[in-house]
Amino acid sequence: MKKTDFAYVAGIIDGEGSISIYRMLSRSSKRRMRYSLLVTVTNTNEWLIQWLKMSFGGSICKVIPRQTNWKPQYRWSLSTRQAADFLKLIKPYLHLKRPEAEIAIAFQSRMKQGAGLSDEAAVLQEADAILIRKYHAKGKKVT
């Protein structure tokens, strides 16, 4: 891909995308929470969503509209390491979501495959998730 393609995709992420760290119950221990990185783009232009999948991998789902006169939406998503690798590619071209991408990349770099989660690692994951949520807060100044 050319630099212009990465800049184009960064613009899509800045405008239509979402970078999230979401919480879920751990499979191994139902009492322990774990976190996962997710990058998504939702749009009514199916071609755009298909192009993202062909270019960067991931998955697509169709979102059925609540109103009959609305167009269907398509959601492209990347998770965990694949999402972090994608964010590293486009980070130099991001404007609005660069701080979120930096948090997400750092978060994913601390993840260890198959290893037990120490208390310190769990606290860091929660802190990253809180930071990302602060950036998502509508109409609020991030401090």
Side-chain angles (χ1 to χ4, degrees):
M1 285 194 125
K2 297 180 260 180
K3 288 181 180 181
T4 54
D5 293 325
F6 292 129
Y8 174 69
V9 173
I12 292 167
I13 295 297
D14 270 342
E16 301 290 326
S18 173
I19 302 169
S20 303
I21 297 172
Y22 65 96
R23 183 173 43 186
M24 59 190 174
L25 282 176
S26 172
R27 287 184 207 145
S28 60
S29 170
K30 296 295 180 194
R31 290 176 290 154
R32 184 158 225 159
M33 299 305 284
R34 67 183 287 269
Y35 294 85
S36 187
L37 172 60
L38 183 68
V39 174
T40 61
V41 173
T42 303
N43 201 288
T44 58
N45 185 322
E46 185 180 8
W47 180 90
L48 170 67
I49 299 302
Q50 291 291 346
W51 179 79
L52 288 167
K53 182 177 189 238
M54 287 186 299
S55 300
F56 301 100
S59 62
I60 297 174
C61 71
K62 184 176 182 178
V63 181
I64 305 301
R66 288 180 279 165
Q67 301 291 326
T68 56
N69 60 336
W70 291 0
K71 291 181 183 179
Q73 296 178 331
Y74 302 89
R75 181 175 301 127
W76 169 74
S77 59
L78 287 173
S79 61
T80 60
R81 189 176 312 142
Q82 193 176 20
D85 292 344
F86 167 75
L87 291 172
K88 288 176 192 173
L89 290 172
I90 67 164
K91 187 178 88 164
Y93 309 100
L94 287 170
H95 291 276
L96 300 174
K97 294 194 173 130
R98 184 178 292 174
E100 292 171 59
E102 290 170 348
I103 294 166
I105 292 165
F107 165 84
Q108 191 62 42
S109 72
R110 289 191 298 269
M111 298 296 283
K112 292 196 169 58
Q113 196 86 18
L117 195 62
S118 70
D119 289 339
E120 180 182 333
V123 168
L124 284 171
Q125 286 184 357
E126 176 67 19
D128 288 337
I130 289 168
L131 281 171
I132 291 271
R133 280 195 303 271
K134 276 188 154 276
Y135 279 101
H136 291 185
K138 302 275 187 230
K140 293 184 181 176
K141 194 176 186 180
V142 177
T143 54

